């Protein structure tokens, strides 16, 4: 019988004297390097640290308005053109490459409540407190020509928002009700209403272009089909929704910015509970806009900051703020997925990078390869405690930091109270309500 035994030669691992170096068993196969993981971990750690060192998202501010910036619109064909409307009725058209204003229009008396560009990019529409809808040429007037709107429609009530159809010469306004207008007519094609409260925002779906959604002051989000003369269905939340934005890649998904500091991503086919609740803001969320890829969105809040959320995550990946920035009223993500624009109370429009540590300008092939390699390393080691801590750390203003701490204590207190109530009640009498369903009051069809 043959017996195999473990046999070790002490000469392979025992030192002759204490002064000798300790022998380390080595694997000389180049495909299996003994220190490969350790080296990659160190590189990933350094890459994560450098990412935070180079995270300087603020590019510049566009100043020129004499009152708070209330709304913005993107040009559908030109990446470098953006429009902004202020609280004094002034509309400015900006060139982002030169970072200067190329045209100023005194469009309305009182606030410019909403603006949108026509799908072909030849003209744009504005609505204001003076109960008018005005259509303007995108090009500057000729020499000696006066700055006048192409069309002016006088309404019966104040319009609070406007949005243009993505393919047809049709636009929708909201105020006392949702009106659908043909560009050639001075009276609406149809008026849609459900409830008796003012509607703050209306948005067309970019994919299923006949669908539109609106937010009302009575806490409703109402969905309409332009082909029908009646609304489809509505969802009632605990608090008022300020605005909503449709996902440009998934036809049924939209995100709503709410007064209860949260954002809710809904699937319009199943409104009973949101797909995701995004919580991080510490004050009312005033605006939201999707990136062109549909993977992320940016939100503007009353807490003087903007946050970038991945669609499938409950917490933000990035928070931007400056000392001078006040309540952020409007926000837009540019069509090339690189920049974010935000307009705030203190008359400034700020331009930010969508990826805080991204290097702008032309990259050499070696730079590009190193960047991709570092990105893969960060993804591979993203759950290691040290790397995760560095990657997630963000500096916050003291006011936001203290409010986050306070809200955490309040949430914990509510959870403890519910546990105690369940403990001292009859089994089954206090039901478990998931976080997603807590904020929904009802769905009406």
């Amino acid at each position: 019988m043959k017996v195999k035994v473990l046999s070790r030669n002490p000469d392979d691992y025992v030192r002759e004297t204490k002064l000798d170096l300790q022998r380390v068993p080595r694997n000389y196969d180049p495909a299996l390097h003994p220190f490969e993981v350790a080296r990659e971990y160190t590189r990933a750690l350094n890459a994560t640290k450098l990412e935070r060192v180079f995270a300087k998202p603020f590019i510049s501010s566009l100043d020129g308005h004499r009152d708070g910036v209330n709304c913005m619109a993107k040009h559908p064909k030109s990446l470098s053109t953006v429009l902004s409307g202020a609280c004094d009725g002034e509309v400015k058209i900006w060139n982002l490459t030169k970072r200067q204003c190329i045209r100023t229009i005194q469009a309305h008396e009182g606030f410019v409540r909403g603006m949108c560009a026509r799908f072909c990019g030849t003209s744009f529409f504005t609505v204001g407190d003076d109960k008018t809808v005005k259509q303007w040429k995108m090009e500057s007037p000729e020499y000696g020509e006066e700055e006048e709107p192409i069309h002016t429609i006088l309404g019966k009530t104040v319009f609070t928002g406007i949005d243009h159809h993505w393919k047809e010469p049709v636009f929708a306004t909201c105020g006392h009700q949702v009106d659908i207008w043909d560009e050639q007519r001075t009276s609406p094609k149809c008026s849609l209403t459900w409830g008796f409260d003012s509607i703050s925002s209306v948005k067309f779906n970019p994919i299923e272009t006949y669908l539109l959604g609106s937010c009302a002051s009575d806490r409703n989000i109402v969905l309409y089909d332009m082909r029908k003369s009646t609304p489809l269905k509505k969802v009632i939340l605990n608090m008022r929704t300020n605005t909503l934005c449709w996902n440009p890649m998934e036809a049924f998904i939209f995100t709503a910015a709410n007064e209860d500091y949260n954002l809710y991503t809904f699937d319009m086919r199943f409104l009973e509970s949101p797909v995701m609740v995004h919580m991080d803001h510490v004050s009312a969320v005033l605006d939201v806009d999707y990136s062109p890829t549909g993977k992320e969105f940016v939100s503007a809040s009353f807490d003087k900051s903007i946050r970038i959320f991945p669609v499938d995550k409950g917490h933000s990946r990035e928070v931007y703020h400056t000392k001078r920035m006040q309540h952020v009223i409007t926000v837009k993500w540019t069509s090339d997925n690189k920049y974010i624009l935000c307009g705030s109370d203190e008359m400034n429009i700020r331009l930010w990078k969508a990826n805080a540590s991204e290097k702008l300008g032309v990259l050499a092939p070696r730079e590009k390869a190193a960047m991709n390699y570092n990105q893969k390393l960060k993804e591979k080691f993203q759950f290691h405690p040290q790397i995760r801590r560095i990657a997630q750390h963000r500096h916050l203003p003291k006011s936001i930091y203290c409010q986050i701490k306070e809200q955490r204590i309040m949430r914990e207190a509510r959870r403890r109270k519910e546990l105690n109530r369940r403990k001292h009640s009859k089994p089954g009498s206090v039901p478990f309500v998931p976080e997603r369903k807590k904020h929904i009051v009802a769905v009406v069809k």
Side-chain angles (χ1 to χ4, degrees):
M1 190 172 83
K2 203 174 184 181
V3 178
K4 283 188 178 180
V5 293
L6 286 175
S7 128
R8 291 196 182 94
N9 183 2
D11 293 342
D12 290 342
Y13 57 91
V14 176
R15 293 182 294 178
E16 288 181 7
T17 68
K18 272 199 266 184
L19 298 173
D20 283 358
L21 291 173
Q22 186 81 47
R23 282 189 181 180
V24 180
R26 292 281 175 93
N27 183 345
Y28 291 105
D29 180 359
L32 299 167
H33 197 282
F35 299 140
E36 185 183 14
V37 175
R39 282 175 180 179
E40 283 192 344
Y41 175 78
T42 309
R43 284 174 189 164
L45 192 64
N46 289 340
T48 310
K49 286 177 180 175
L50 284 172
E51 184 191 43
R52 298 315 312 144
V53 167
F54 292 122
K56 293 182 170 61
F58 181 70
I59 298 171
S60 73
S61 71
L62 312 172
D63 44 352
H65 277 295
R66 291 170 295 182
D67 209 333
V69 182
N70 198 46
C71 55
M72 286 195 296
K74 291 183 283 191
H75 193 292
K77 298 288 171 75
S78 163
L79 283 174
S80 60
T81 309
V82 72
L83 305 100
S84 64
C87 298
D88 58 354
E90 198 174 58
V91 169
K92 282 184 181 286
I93 301 176
W94 303 87
N95 185 326
L96 293 181
T97 44
K98 295 178 183 173
R99 293 175 200 167
Q100 64 188 33
C101 174
I102 52 175
R103 189 169 158 214
T104 304
I105 307 163
Q106 187 58 47
H108 296 276
E109 293 168 23
F111 283 44
V112 180
R113 288 288 172 192
M115 62 196 315
C116 66
R118 200 171 185 272
F119 60 90
C120 60
T122 54
S123 62
F124 65 93
F125 295 82
T126 60
V127 292
D129 275 357
D130 52 5
K131 303 182 185 176
T132 56
V133 181
K134 292 183 181 178
Q135 184 182 1
W136 306 83
K137 273 187 189 170
M138 196 65 82
E139 278 80 38
S140 302
E142 300 292 326
Y143 180 75
E145 201 180 329
E146 284 192 30
E147 186 78 85
E148 283 186 350
I150 307 168
H151 297 300
T152 303
I153 299 167
L154 188 61
K156 292 173 185 169
T157 55
V158 173
F159 297 109
T160 54
I162 186 168
D163 197 30
H164 201 284
H165 195 280
W166 290 77
K167 290 176 181 170
E168 293 171 19
V170 171
F171 64 92
T173 60
C174 62
H176 184 59
Q177 61 196 14
V178 171
D179 293 321
I180 311 243
W181 306 75
D182 194 307
E183 284 182 14
Q184 307 304 320
R185 295 171 60 180
T186 54
S187 57
K189 279 204 308 185
C190 69
S191 297
L192 305 161
T193 182
W194 193 354
F196 300 97
D197 225 318
S198 64
I199 296 159
S200 56
S201 160
V202 63
K203 290 282 165 73
F204 273 101
N205 191 320
I207 304 165
E208 300 290 346
T209 50
Y210 47 81
L211 288 176
L212 61 155
S214 74
C215 313
S217 308
D218 54 0
R219 304 174 301 160
N220 292 344
I221 299 171
V222 188
L223 302 175
Y224 309 92
D225 189 332
M226 215 168 70
R227 300 167 300 184
K228 292 183 178 180
S229 56
T230 54
L232 289 177
K233 48 184 168 180
K234 69 175 174 181
V235 56
I236 306 167
L237 276 72
N238 275 332
M239 290 183 82
R240 192 182 79 200
T241 301
N242 288 314
T243 186
L244 61 86
C245 187
W246 294 92
N247 190 323
M249 288 292 160
E250 295 177 71
F252 301 109
I253 305 293
F254 66 89
T255 297
N258 206 275
E259 282 281 322
D260 65 359
Y261 316 168
N262 297 340
L263 293 113
Y264 301 99
T265 298
F266 284 96
D267 186 325
M268 67 169 282
R269 297 164 296 180
F270 315 107
L271 291 173
E272 286 72 26
S273 76
V275 178
M276 185 62 69
V277 180
H278 310 273
M279 357 170 77
D280 258 347
H281 281 296
V282 292
S283 196
V285 189
L286 301 179
D287 200 11
V288 59
D289 192 40
Y290 264 93
S291 72
T293 58
K295 298 273 179 69
E296 294 180 319
F297 61 84
V298 61
S299 63
S301 172
F302 199 76
D303 64 11
K304 308 176 189 177
S305 70
I306 61 173
R307 286 181 183 267
I308 301 171
F309 290 87
V311 174
D312 54 349
K313 299 278 195 304
H315 293 282
S316 61
R317 72 159 171 89
E318 202 64 79
V319 55
Y320 294 161
H321 55 85
T322 67
K323 280 187 179 176
R324 291 185 181 181
M325 190 156 79
Q326 295 303 308
H327 313 308
V328 192
I329 298 169
T330 176
V331 72
K332 282 278 178 275
W333 199 309
T334 56
S335 303
D336 61 348
N337 198 30
K338 285 216 176 255
Y339 306 103
I340 287 165
L341 288 150
C342 71
S344 49
D345 254 0
E346 82 313 332
M347 307 178 276
N348 264 6
I349 296 167
R350 287 182 174 79
L351 185 64
W352 309 84
K353 284 191 261 185
N355 183 3
S357 58
E358 184 181 21
K359 189 180 175 187
L360 298 179
V362 181
L363 292 178
R366 283 180 67 181
E367 272 184 308
K368 210 174 279 184
M371 205 172 69
N372 292 339
Y373 177 60
N374 286 341
Q375 189 60 38
K376 285 292 173 195
L377 284 178
K378 282 184 283 189
E379 282 173 24
K380 183 177 177 181
F381 293 97
Q382 64 184 329
F383 298 113
H384 282 241
Q386 186 79 354
I387 288 177
R388 193 175 177 187
R389 185 186 64 79
I390 295 165
Q392 286 188 347
H393 179 263
R394 295 289 178 277
H395 173 75
L396 291 169
K398 193 178 178 184
S399 58
I400 294 179
Y401 182 77
C402 293
Q403 280 174 286
I404 286 173
K405 220 153 75 170
E406 194 179 302
Q407 282 184 12
R408 197 178 295 132
I409 292 164
M410 285 159 68
R411 260 201 306 272
E412 187 54 41
R414 279 198 294 271
R415 195 183 68 83
R416 211 165 44 243
K417 184 176 180 180
E418 197 178 316
L419 281 173
N420 289 341
R421 188 174 286 160
R422 194 170 283 117
K423 200 187 290 179
H424 298 291
S425 301
K426 193 174 157 186
S429 60
V430 181
F432 286 93
V433 182
E435 183 64 41
R436 292 180 187 182
K437 293 201 173 182
K438 279 180 188 173
H439 310 279
I440 307 294
V441 176
V443 177
V444 186
K445 292 182 183 177

